[in-house]
Amino acid sequence: MKKVLLFIGCCLLVAALSAQTITQKLQKAFQQFENDSQLKHAISSLYVIDAKTGQVVFDKNAQVGLAPASTQKIITSVTAFELLGRDYRYKTDIILNGRMSHDTLFGDIIFRGEGDPTFGSWRYPGTTRDKILQSIVYVLKDENVKNVTGNIIVDDLNFETQSIPDGWIWQDIGNYYGAGAGALCWNENQYEIVLEPGNKIGASTKIINTIPTLEVYSLINEIKTGPKGSGDNGYIYIAPYTINGFLRGTIPLGEQNFKISGSFPNPSGQFNKELEKKLSAHGITVNNKYMTGLDFITNNKEPNYKGISVFSQVSPSLDSIIYWLNKKSINLYAEALIKTFAYEKQGFGSTDSGVAIVKKFWKDKGLDEDELNIYDGSGLSPLNRITTHAQVEILKYAKTKAWFQYFYNSLPDYNGMRMKSGTISDVKGFCGYHKANNGKEYIFSFLVNNYSGKTSGVVNKMYKVLDELK
């Protein structure tokens, strides 16, 4: 018995010394990090715990709220698994509102959106634009609809008209990563502009085409030709629901068919125009208008229908949505989920209500709600402030759930670690999980705000600190 107790005591001593060693290594590495000239005016926070015991391994500024950038998506993802469930699916209904006589629908066709961010997405075989438009044609032909006396209506009023959360900046919202979430999304609410640079630096550029073709909007091109190899410095400036936008900045000399990606200011309107072309091409005539919720709001009316759903476009399951949300850091998916929390619980999708639900959920789990000072679901807003302590606690919570492996698989691999990254202006973050060579498992969050110089330089220095966990 004495030998057994002595062996156990030695094991505990070794474990304690090992923990002390990793803490000391992190302290030294973090101090060097903070002393770097690139961090002279920055504030940084690193919080690390033992994944199995929950013991704190390292803590610097863990209770200081910092802008998290896209590391905030781990909070939205984990909350979604809990509130919606791994198998949750969105649906978009096609409703025939009227009566059929021979091949004519005396009434309207309604498309009722419930916020599916994958509607028209190219990431899944069953959700592409062509697939959905063709499915709509098949459904109407199966119902023998060749003429519609009424309107084609996109009912997108289950979500608020404010598609862009508070705090998003003007330079972001016209670009693909600034796509807002509505009750009806289309092609992930984004498009590509194909540009041809001029023949010298400073020369004007030319728009070759857009993919898909912009149906409702026009763009004024002010992009100039930049130095060869200067990359994509082009930005699109267009507000939600407007019809005119501006292209500004530069694209590199010598690169033909150069693409930049923008966000639809009115995805419902874009969908309606594409649908109108598709139905016309298949001989289905619509006597009146193609309308969206905005048309009803403008005329102080609400869509009023009692028709039956003849088809539902169903999204991929939530675990698949979150896979792409984190792998590709898709802001649209995160913003759709935030509004979906509110829609499912309160019957109407809004960012503010969704944020309140997220904060209450984690408060009920024991987190101080002031550690989650958030304004959106994706982290794109520079107003967000989150503590590294809160992020680690949420990651620790996720590890106890049956759906954890699906969440873990969604996290990208950076620097040999499974972690979500985040980047906005002068903000860089990483948070996630790592199993060391000695078998120890760690959960960590590392945020840096207001650094100077290039992001790549900060990233390499952050990796050097995190390497101590290996």
Side-chain angles (χ1 to χ4, degrees), residues 346-415:
Q346 301 172 3
F348 183 71
S350 78
T351 298
D352 288 349
S353 296
V355 164
I357 289 168
V358 171
K359 295 179 73 171
K360 184 181 185 303
F361 177 83
W362 291 109
K363 181 181 180 181
D364 292 345
K365 299 298 180 186
L367 269 182
D368 184 340
E369 63 180 339
D370 291 334
E371 292 191 65
L372 300 178
N373 187 13
I374 59 178
Y375 291 82
D376 64 14
S378 64
L380 186 60
S381 173
L383 299 177
N384 295 309
R385 297 292 183 270
I386 294 174
T387 67
T388 54
H389 170 264
Q391 288 189 313
V392 167
E393 286 297 304
I394 290 169
L395 289 168
K396 182 176 75 172
Y397 176 88
K399 206 169 186 301
T400 68
K401 310 306 290 186
W403 44 258
F404 172 70
Q405 196 60 44
Y406 297 94
F407 170 64
Y408 181 81
N409 291 342
S410 77
L411 298 177
D413 191 313
Y414 296 109
N415 192 40

Side-chain angles (χ1 to χ4, degrees), residues 124 320 396:
Y124 314 88
S320 181
K396 182 176 75 172

Side-chain angles (χ1 to χ4, degrees), residues 134-149:
Q134 193 61 52
S135 294
I136 292 169
V137 170
Y138 288 153
V139 168
L140 296 183
K141 286 188 174 182
D142 284 346
E143 297 293 328
N144 198 34
V145 176
K146 293 183 180 179
N147 301 288
V148 180
T149 65

Side-chain angles (χ1 to χ4, degrees), residues 8 14 17 42 64 72 83 93 108 157 164 175 178 209 296 324 331 390 396 440 464:
I8 294 172
V14 169
L17 289 173
V64 176
Q72 186 172 321
L83 294 184
D93 286 327
D108 306 318
L157 297 179
I164 303 297
N175 299 283
N209 66 313
F296 287 88
W324 287 112
N331 293 330
K396 182 176 75 172
K440 296 283 287 185
K464 190 172 181 181

Side-chain angles (χ1 to χ4, degrees), residues 137-305:
V137 170
Y138 288 153
V139 168
L140 296 183
K141 286 188 174 182
D142 284 346
E143 297 293 328
N144 198 34
V145 176
K146 293 183 180 179
N147 301 288
V148 180
T149 65
N151 304 300
I152 302 291
I153 299 171
V154 173
D155 178 3
D156 52 6
L157 297 179
N158 287 312
F159 280 19
E160 64 184 341
T161 56
Q162 183 175 336
S163 59
I164 303 297
D166 289 337
W168 283 21
I169 65 174
W170 178 230
Q171 191 181 47
D172 289 343
I173 61 176
N175 299 283
Y176 77 96
Y177 54 87
L184 189 130
C185 300
W186 185 239
N187 198 52
E188 297 194 1
N189 293 352
Q190 67 173 273
Y191 62 95
E192 289 185 325
I193 304 171
V194 184
L195 293 158
E196 180 181 305
N199 57 11
K200 63 180 180 179
I201 295 173
S204 297
T205 63
K206 180 181 178 182
I207 297 176
I208 304 301
N209 66 313
T210 64
I211 308 169
T213 301
L214 290 184
E215 299 289 354
V216 188
Y217 333 101
S218 61
L219 299 171
I220 298 169
N221 182 21
E222 297 179 352
I223 287 182
K224 302 298 183 183
T225 304
K228 191 172 183 178
S230 56
D232 180 0
N233 292 298
Y235 293 91
I236 303 162
Y237 295 87
I238 188 168
Y241 306 111
T242 56
I243 60 173
N244 294 307
F246 294 84
L247 277 61
R248 295 175 178 140
T250 66
I251 61 171
L253 179 69
E255 295 192 33
Q256 303 303 310
N257 295 323
F258 191 88
K259 295 178 181 178
I260 63 174
S261 296
S263 63
F264 294 136
N266 185 353
S268 295
Q270 176 73 25
F271 167 74
N272 254 350
K273 286 294 184 180
E274 291 189 37
L275 177 62
E276 182 178 3
K277 287 184 175 181
K278 190 73 171 181
L279 296 186
S280 178
H282 284 80
I284 300 173
T285 61
V286 178
N287 291 354
N288 285 329
K289 298 178 180 179
Y290 283 73
M291 306 174 70
T292 69
L294 193 62
D295 296 306
F296 287 88
I297 292 171
T298 302
N299 293 292
N300 294 315
K301 295 182 179 180
E302 292 184 6
N304 183 21
Y305 52 87

